[in-house]
Amino acid sequence: MATFVIERTLPGAAELTPAQLQDIARTSNEVVAGLGVAYTWHRSYAAGDKIYCVHETDDPETIREHARRAGFPIDCVVEVAAEFGPTTADS
């Protein structure tokens, strides 16, 4: 599976309440369970008027189908080319 970063515009995303985030998570989990393909949602970040998500699946079309079924906006989907962090400097 490939890893994808998804950008979604949702005005007021940073002010979503824990209950609203829980509802979004439930919806996402239900859609993932119904897709019938390998799909993992790792995490999402609410920042400003955006939500950024990290998902794993086989192709970007599956990401778009997840968004369509869930009723989530989707602005951009990009496949992760490489992952690195502070310890990469020590390699």
Side-chain angles (χ1 to χ4, degrees), residues 40-90:
T40 303
W41 168 35
H42 288 285
R43 66 185 42 89
S44 295
Y45 305 91
D49 289 332
K50 301 281 187 174
I51 293 180
Y52 301 94
C53 306
V54 179
H55 293 205
E56 268 187 303
T57 192
D58 291 328
D59 54 64
E61 290 75 28
T62 304
I63 300 284
R64 289 185 182 89
E65 179 62 15
H66 171 270
R68 186 190 68 74
R69 290 187 191 186
F72 297 156
I74 191 164
D75 302 328
C76 183
V77 176
V78 292
E79 186 172 347
V80 173
E83 183 176 333
F84 64 99
T87 60
T88 305
D90 300 331

Side-chain angles (χ1 to χ4, degrees), residues 27-44:
T27 299
S28 182
N29 289 341
E30 289 169 3
V31 171
V32 167
L35 284 172
V37 297
Y39 196 110
T40 303
W41 168 35
H42 288 285
R43 66 185 42 89
S44 295

Side-chain angles (χ1 to χ4, degrees), residues 11-30:
E15 285 83 39
L16 290 168
T17 67
Q20 289 170 312
L21 294 172
Q22 185 179 45
D23 286 344
I24 291 169
R26 280 188 183 133
T27 299
S28 182
N29 289 341
E30 289 169 3

